[in-house]
Amino acid sequence: MSKQEYKYIGQSTPRIDGKEKITGATCFVDDIQFGPNLLYAAVVESPHAHALIEKIDTGRAAKVPGVVKVVTGKEFPFRFGLYMHDRYVFAQDRVRFVGEQVAAVIARDPSAAKKAAALVEVQYKELVPLLNVFDAIGEHPKSIIHPELKNYAHVPWFFPEADSNIAHFRKVRRGDIEKGFAEADLVYEDQYVVPRYAHCAIEVHAAVGLLDNSGRLTLWTASQSPHTQRHLFTQALAPLGFTHQDVRVISPAVGGGFGGKAGVSMEILAAALATVVKGSHVKVLWSREQEFYNTYQRQGVHARLKVGVKHDGTITALEQTLYWDAGAYVEYGANVVNAAGLSATGPYRIPNIKMDSICVYTNLPPGGPYRGFGYSEFIFGLESHFNEIAKKLNMDAVAFRRKNAIREGDTLAYGGKMNPNGLLEAIDKVAQAIEWDKEFPSTDPNIAVGKGFSLFWKAPAMPPNASSSAFLKFNEDAGLNILVSAQEIGQGFLTAMAQVAAEVLGVPPDRIRVESPDTDRTPYEWQTVASHITWGCGNAVKRAAEDAREQIFDLVEKTLGKKRAALYLEDSAVKSLEEPEFNLPLKSFVIDGIIMADGTWRGGPVTGRGMFMPEFSSAVSDPETGQGGKPMVHYTVGASAIRIEIDKETGKIRIPKVVLAVDAGQAINPGLIRGQIVGGLLQGLATVLYEDMRFNDKGKLLNPNFTDYKIPTALDIPAEIVPIIIEVPQPDGPFGARGIGEHTMIPAAPIVANAVEDALGIRIKSMPITAEKIAMAIKKMEENKK
């Protein structure tokens, strides 16, 4: 019998002495929104990374006063998943990572739930855990983590290998790789390692579920994906009779997402548990520890690179194999592997390509979406490798990149054509801003100074039919409400959508309110991920506004006889190019209509409807070559550079200046873009300089807290951050705009790695590049000189 680990997951809002006075009455804060019958849950977690479940005894737990229900996997033997149906609500016959939920206790107060969870007894038979990709994909792996892999439903662009630990194998082949290497004057090979990372949103995951007496299941979730969550909840619970109209997801503002609150992770617990206590709300709230080990983590990757170049710096061939540590379940994470595999050339013109991106099951926590969606990981190795090649050619690192940078119309790895972009302009402006050609000699013999440069790109990683929709309605005062299901996660989406509608309708943005997602009230949106919302949802909002504008012009033309071609909207009124004195306030008719000479009315409430789907996109391709289709709708590109100072004794890095330029297409709100550049760079610098996820040899995370998992503070911010906005319009974007939200953190790791090499002559090929790692490398270099 194994001692169980448990975590209480239902604590309510912090309060003084556990209670709060409200107008003379004493009540729990949670009671205010969800009523006095709110129930709390505690989960029983696996202490093993890989084991068979032989027996679960809930008898003692069920007898604890206040316990309402004890639930195990037998109540929910249903698989679900976004791209691969490989996950269960609760573990069934086996557990696959430390912390996986095995059972849950629902009780009337938190202490009872916690006490009962500790009394659930589970008997396990331990199996060999596979904790790194090479143990998992060896010729004879010691175990198969998903024996039923061949039976899992998945999207048609995934290629799992049955009876193995390979969940997806993305191949890309173009040109003649052997010929490319034969033509090269220099062939250089090396390997680079990027570990796992946590999202570190300050707001932890939380969800409340209610199955009411009408059979309606409602979830309140902190989510980037309310409609996708509804779909996956329905998918998982369909055997219980639930359909999409029976499930509602309400998502208020999210306190940090970065991909960690996309798709479905712990929220499925609130949905499932609510179905067994009909009529009562059930609250699930992750602790900070659970936030680390039982939500999506950024996947680790081991990259093997081989590149051929001519003496003049022209790249002739790229061979790259990416081994992704995807964790115990890949229902979302495999798409990270797929997207990165299609784009792992980086923003470069390379005629001969062989790339393999391999999604590997391990017995670590599930990997999933994280800001950058795999691009930060492969860019670290690629840009580090290109810097080493430039050095071997005795060629300037910026000149090497400029020579090989991709241009509009160039052929992409999968055979498509590159969209219009300002990459060359970004390179030049970043080089100028960082003063690339200027020497910065150190005045302190203990301080080494270096500069690093990197390019970056990213495409929205999404299914070809990912769509956005919008409703727009005027109010009596000509103010507007926009109903959409994209989510505000700090990127400024609410402001940007108001600006798009304002541009079309001639109404000030501050008279427009953009509503929060509610799947019963707001129309469909795939997810707030992939940096596609400005582009996709922006197009839907623009079309909804244009729909409303055409209704207005129809009405004015029909009732007042005004020439339609001369009408325009400005200052919340209809005006005419042919009649400067004509001014018809929108508030005078957008609800009431326009009165006719005979006393009748025409018109009525003006509402707009818009939808956008990238109908030109296709994920269909040859599984052996990756050629065909158009899996990437467009790429956003940019460049970044940094200047650092390194203390040779401690390895501590100080950053006097960092620069990043990104091509936004058309900057709808420059202030928000500059904010994203600063925020993205800081998050990226955190992953390369501070964050370090540690597991023991049993697969248990050793530092699931902000004491041991280091993140930077305000004292660690670079002295100067220079944001640069490039504008080369995206032809199919709203007013030419494209997304930039994830891209701004992607180059952080390689610019630091390249600057460290420039300063010390030491190439660090694994992240993070902490002060300790630098100091140890300096010590080793000095010892080798003796």
Side-chain angles (χ1 to χ4, degrees), residues 314-344:
T314 302
I315 302 172
T316 62
L318 166 66
E319 182 174 344
Q320 181 168 200
T321 305
L322 300 168
Y323 299 95
W324 296 87
D325 168 15
Y329 300 99
V330 306
E331 51 92 15
Y332 204 138
N335 206 44
V336 176
V337 175
N338 190 71
L342 289 165
S343 302

Side-chain angles (χ1 to χ4, degrees), residues 656-769:
K657 189 173 186 179
V658 60
V659 180
L660 187 144
V662 64
D663 181 3
Q666 171 67 51
I668 289 178
N669 189 308
L672 291 175
I673 293 174
R674 286 190 286 270
Q676 285 296 300
I677 291 174
V678 172
L681 272 171
L682 294 179
Q683 187 173 7
L685 291 171
T687 64
V688 65
L689 296 175
Y690 303 99
E691 300 180 45
D692 192 3
M693 188 168 275
R694 301 290 185 90
F695 295 87
N696 66 13
D697 60 3
K698 299 292 185 181
K700 182 176 181 178
L701 182 61
L702 298 176
N703 56 334
N705 55 69
F706 287 145
T707 300
D708 301 316
Y709 186 92
K710 303 298 184 183
I711 58 176
T713 69
L715 298 177
D716 302 300
I717 294 175
E720 182 182 6
I721 300 174
V722 180
I724 299 172
I725 301 172
I726 308 296
E727 293 182 289
V728 176
Q730 178 62 32
D732 55 10
F735 306 107
R738 64 172 76 87
I740 58 91
E742 295 171 272
H743 309 72
T744 57
M745 78 167 289
I746 292 172
I751 59 175
V752 170
N754 291 337
V756 169
E757 196 283 329
D758 182 50
L760 301 171
I762 297 172
R763 171 58 62 185
I764 296 178
K765 294 179 282 190
S766 64
M767 290 175 62
I769 303 176

Side-chain angles (χ1 to χ4, degrees), residues 527-539:
Q527 299 187 81
T528 303
V529 297
S531 302
H532 87 290
I533 290 299
T534 295
W535 179 69
C537 191
N539 270 322

Side-chain angles (χ1 to χ4, degrees), residues 443-455:
T443 58
D444 184 340
N446 194 48
I447 300 296
V449 177
K451 289 182 290 196
F453 204 97
S454 175
L455 306 188

Side-chain angles (χ1 to χ4, degrees), residues 474-479 572-573 584-592:
F474 273 97
N475 300 312
E476 289 85 346
D477 62 355
S572 298
L584 182 65
L586 293 175
K587 66 181 181 181
S588 70
F589 70 91
V590 289
I591 294 295
D592 293 337

